[in-house]
Amino acid sequence: MRAYTEQTPDIPNLKGDRGTHSRMASISAPRTLFFTHSAKLFFSPFKPSHSSFSPLPLHLTRPNCTLQQPRRNIIQILEERGLVESITNDTLRTASSAPLKVYCGFDPTAESLHLGNLLGLIVLSWFRRCGHCAVALIGGATARVGDPSGKSLERPELDTDSLEKNTLGISQTITTILGRAQNSNLPNDGSSSSSSSVVILNNYDWWKEFTLLDFLKRVGKYARVGSMMAKESVRKRLESEQGMSYTEFTYQLLQGYDFLHLFQNEGVSVQIGGSDQWGNITAGTELIRKILQVEGAYGLTFPLLLKSDGTKFGKSEDGAIWLSPSFLSPYKFYQYFFSVPDADVIKFLKILTFLDMEDIAALEGEMMKPGYVPNTAQRKLAEEVTRFVHGEEGLAEALKATEALRPGSETKLDWKTIEGVAEGLPSCSLAYDEVLNLSLVDLSVSSGLFESKSAARRLLKQGGVYLNNNRVDSENKRIEAADIVDGKVLLLSAGKKNKVLVRIA
């Protein structure tokens, strides 16, 4: 490590072994989840700026990060599964044979993470499983600017209340998903130690003290405009009709400094992200090299989730596939993956699950055989991903709802199950007195399940009409009190897919 020169007087003259620094950074006392650093290791202490933003008052606990001796080389595992797009330096392959701290950033632009964020959690989990420490960085500061990567328009500005709400929501999602015991080197007994290799930080804690002059002097002076403009995310926006604001242009420096701050103060040496984050990640490695004059910072990107036809995987007809059960039920989440085409299912089993590659190869072989049961691979994919995101309880809920909503199923429907899958179903509200003793034919038309009584009678005769998943054989059927599930809802079906939910007002 070289000593700092007189041209950088604000940066302390740091000497010593980089490994010693990393080991020291990995030993920390329990602190609040979102905490403020004095930055004294890097900058002179700042006077608080007169910003209109207030700190986000989040009171979650931050666990210590326990590093384990890696059992397998993480880069080899990720490459084998198709989870490596690029790495900044091949020496990461050998460096990863020792314990590392790795981070992935999540800007709180919504209250829940979505399927586009899932690969970041998957890769962090693989690092955990191999004995490394996972750090999730909430972009409480960078979300105020908006990442231009992959965007054709500038993101709308978020107010402080929305940022706080979003930060709480996604931090809870990350804690829930990564907090489960998924590290094969840690005890799988639900104890606190099983989640000790997960750390969640918020970059607002160190950015809130910066003034514009601080930023220009301590970060901006080391950035070269030419290389910043050459970044793909910037170049595409500059060539577009909308152009790019200066605010967005600085985003890569904000994210770059995040890496520098974590590298120096937390011992984090690896940043991961989607392939569209390459420019932002390399901005960080460049700042570390120029300002700290050290090596040992690495970046790794993974491919974006794309279908075999090249379109983005992660959108449904109804919008984003959310990871929070309050935004999308485990049933709906499960069904999305159950509907993956055969052409994509093996690829997604490799990148979205932790199944052994031998088991995935066996499934692929079964798909080629004449006796293969359709959707067997999709069912395995849906089960594994749902278990990862929603846990065993969420998977059980999804499987119960899937079975219960199968026309002709003997599983008894309850109100909670029906409401859990109601999102996206056509629905209507009718008074109790309107529904009781009403003929099923009339209810099917008034609810919108059929356009006419003749169409309802025709399908009834063919055995294709279901009331709460029970086939109705008679067109004279009238609604009884016992038909109204828990006195609240009715579920009408025409065939296997067309359903209408009738809520009793």
Side-chain angles (χ1 to χ4, degrees), residues 52-73:
S52 60
F53 297 117
S54 60
L56 303 182
L58 305 176
H59 306 292
L60 303 177
T61 57
R62 174 183 180 235
N64 291 327
C65 187
T66 303
L67 295 175
Q68 303 285 330
Q69 186 60 37
R71 294 182 178 180
R72 292 184 59 194
N73 187 281

Side-chain angles (χ1 to χ4, degrees), residues 79-98:
E79 286 181 322
E80 182 182 32
R81 305 183 79 93
L83 282 169
V84 175
E85 178 86 6
S86 303
I87 56 177
T88 56
N89 193 318
D90 269 345
T91 57
L92 177 58
R93 301 178 189 278
T94 54
S96 60
S97 62

Side-chain angles (χ1 to χ4, degrees), residues 348-452:
F348 292 143
L349 279 167
K350 292 178 181 178
I351 65 178
L352 295 177
T353 78
F354 301 93
L355 290 173
D356 290 339
M357 293 294 285
E358 293 80 5
D359 294 336
I360 297 174
L363 265 175
E364 186 174 17
E366 289 296 321
M367 292 180 69
M368 306 300 172
K369 297 178 180 179
Y372 172 73
V373 178
N375 294 322
T376 298
Q378 282 86 344
R379 182 175 292 105
K380 190 65 176 174
L381 173 67
E383 288 178 0
E384 293 297 319
V385 181
T386 304
R387 181 183 290 110
F388 175 68
V389 173
H390 295 292
E392 292 290 351
E393 184 178 344
L395 175 59
E397 177 185 331
L399 292 175
K400 177 185 176 183
T402 299
E403 172 60 23
L405 291 175
R406 179 175 57 84
S409 170
E410 296 181 0
T411 302
K412 181 176 174 57
L413 284 173
D414 55 43
W415 171 76
K416 183 179 179 181
T417 300
I418 293 177
E419 281 296 328
V421 302
E423 182 183 352
L425 287 182
S427 64
C428 66
S429 295
L430 296 173
Y432 184 87
D433 293 339
E434 292 181 77
V435 173
L436 195 64
N437 294 322
L438 185 66
S439 74
L440 181 61
V441 170
D442 289 339
L443 180 60
S444 297
V445 174
S446 61
S447 66
L449 183 64
F450 292 101
E451 293 183 356
S452 65

Side-chain angles (χ1 to χ4, degrees), residues 74 78 83 100-106 113 117-138 174-175 177-178 182-183 197-200 268 270-273 300 302 351 354 388:
I74 179 62
L78 296 178
L83 282 169
L100 298 171
K101 285 188 177 182
V102 55
Y103 95 92
C104 186
F106 304 89
L113 296 178
N117 307 119
L118 183 58
L119 273 187
L121 297 176
I122 292 281
V123 176
L124 281 180
S125 292
W126 272 118
F127 272 92
R128 285 195 69 211
R129 284 170 168 251
C130 292
H132 304 283
C133 175
V135 177
L137 181 65
I138 310 297
I174 294 170
T175 300
I177 294 176
L178 293 184
Q182 294 162 11
N183 185 341
S197 58
V198 179
V199 174
I200 302 181
V268 174
V270 183
Q271 181 183 176
I272 65 169
L300 180 149
F302 42 80
I351 65 178
F354 301 93
F388 175 68

Side-chain angles (χ1 to χ4, degrees), residues 314-331:
K315 292 281 187 180
S316 70
E317 294 178 359
D318 301 320
I321 304 301
W322 302 105
L323 304 188
S324 170
S326 59
F327 283 76
L328 188 72
S329 70
Y331 165 77

Side-chain angles (χ1 to χ4, degrees), residues 217-236:
K217 179 181 179 181
R218 308 189 187 276
V219 181
K221 67 180 291 186
Y222 296 97
R224 291 295 170 262
V225 174
S227 61
M228 290 178 67
M229 294 181 67
K231 306 286 187 185
E232 185 178 7
S233 59
V234 173
R235 180 175 51 79
K236 285 186 176 181

